Amino acid sequence: MSIPRTVNLAIAACRRIPPGRTNSATGLITSRFKEHYLSKALLSVVAPVPVASRRRFTTTAPRRHGHIEPPKPGQELYVTFIEKDGQEHKFAVSEGDNLLDIAQANDLEMEGACGGSCACSTCHVIITDESYYDKMPEPEDDENDMLDLAFGLTETSRLGCQVKMKKELDGLVVKLPSMTRNMQASDFQ
């Protein structure tokens, strides 16, 4: 097995260490200076890695909470919200928008205290037509845990932050419960 060229050059560099850099008692090169010259020799052999003069930095457009894009013509989906007092509001929305964002973008009374992270029950909605409820994916465990805390829970209750609009849900009608329950640490002081 041959010794790599860089090691041979490093050894040669150590042999050229100037006088006075050795231990006078033993005549051996002190380890501190050996490391210095060895690293210097290795660095002179290894080709430097080119560094980009300018690093490109990109970002994506921020999405604000409750901010939804208007639907493209011909791709509108419709959802109707029934408020506590019975007043109905019908909105044209895009596929992928969730009910919490739709309600907040249109100034409906839906709190969403956790910001849509499925950690509260303040965006609780009641699906009025069971056939639409059956078209939705089953609620996950986190959503079911939060629904257990919801006021006025029904068989067709869901969290608005977890219901994303899709073509199968076009024409969905949801009712806002008469009140919501927001369990905060400040409630227990």
Side-chain angles (χ1 to χ4, degrees):
M1 182 171 110
S2 65
I3 298 175
R5 184 178 191 293
T6 54
V7 174
N8 283 332
L9 289 171
I11 293 169
C14 287
R15 289 186 183 139
R16 290 191 300 264
I17 294 176
R21 301 293 186 208
T22 59
N23 185 323
S24 57
T26 61
L28 298 174
I29 301 169
T30 58
S31 62
R32 190 175 96 206
F33 289 104
K34 185 186 271 186
E35 287 173 17
H36 169 75
Y37 281 101
L38 184 61
S39 64
K40 194 172 181 181
L42 287 173
L43 287 176
S44 66
V45 174
V46 177
V49 177
V51 178
S53 61
R54 207 164 224 219
R55 178 177 271 184
R56 292 189 180 357
F57 184 76
T58 61
T59 62
T60 56
R63 282 198 69 177
R64 291 178 216 95
H65 179 70
H67 179 74
I68 58 173
E69 297 293 325
K72 294 178 181 169
Q75 296 181 356
E76 301 95 349
L77 302 175
Y78 292 94
V79 61
T80 303
F81 288 86
I82 303 173
E83 289 194 87
K84 300 169 188 176
D85 60 3
Q87 189 176 6
E88 293 187 13
H89 303 277
K90 186 174 185 177
F91 303 109
V93 299
S94 300
E95 189 168 354
D97 292 341
N98 69 50
L99 297 180
L100 173 63
D101 288 343
I102 295 166
Q104 289 183 339
N106 292 290
D107 296 322
L108 294 180
E109 195 176 330
M110 187 181 291
E111 185 178 354
C114 69
S117 61
C118 196
C120 73
S121 63
T122 59
C123 64
H124 171 224
V125 295
I126 300 165
I127 313 300
T128 59
D129 187 349
E130 200 169 314
S131 66
Y132 281 101
Y133 184 84
D134 294 336
K135 294 177 185 177
M136 295 177 188
E138 287 290 317
E140 293 186 13
D141 290 340
D142 290 340
E143 183 178 356
N144 280 326
D145 291 345
M146 291 299 113
L147 282 170
D148 288 341
L149 304 173
F151 179 83
L153 187 65
T154 68
E155 289 293 320
T156 58
S157 289
R158 292 297 300 264
L159 295 182
C161 64
Q162 301 301 302
V163 178
K164 293 191 186 315
M165 288 300 293
K166 55 185 180 177
K167 290 181 183 176
E168 297 83 28
L169 298 179
D170 188 21
L172 177 68
V173 179
V174 296
K175 186 174 190 286
L176 300 179
S178 58
M179 60 186 303
T180 60
R181 194 176 287 155
N182 187 1
M183 306 291 262
Q184 299 177 359
S186 61
D187 294 339
F188 300 102
Q189 294 178 356

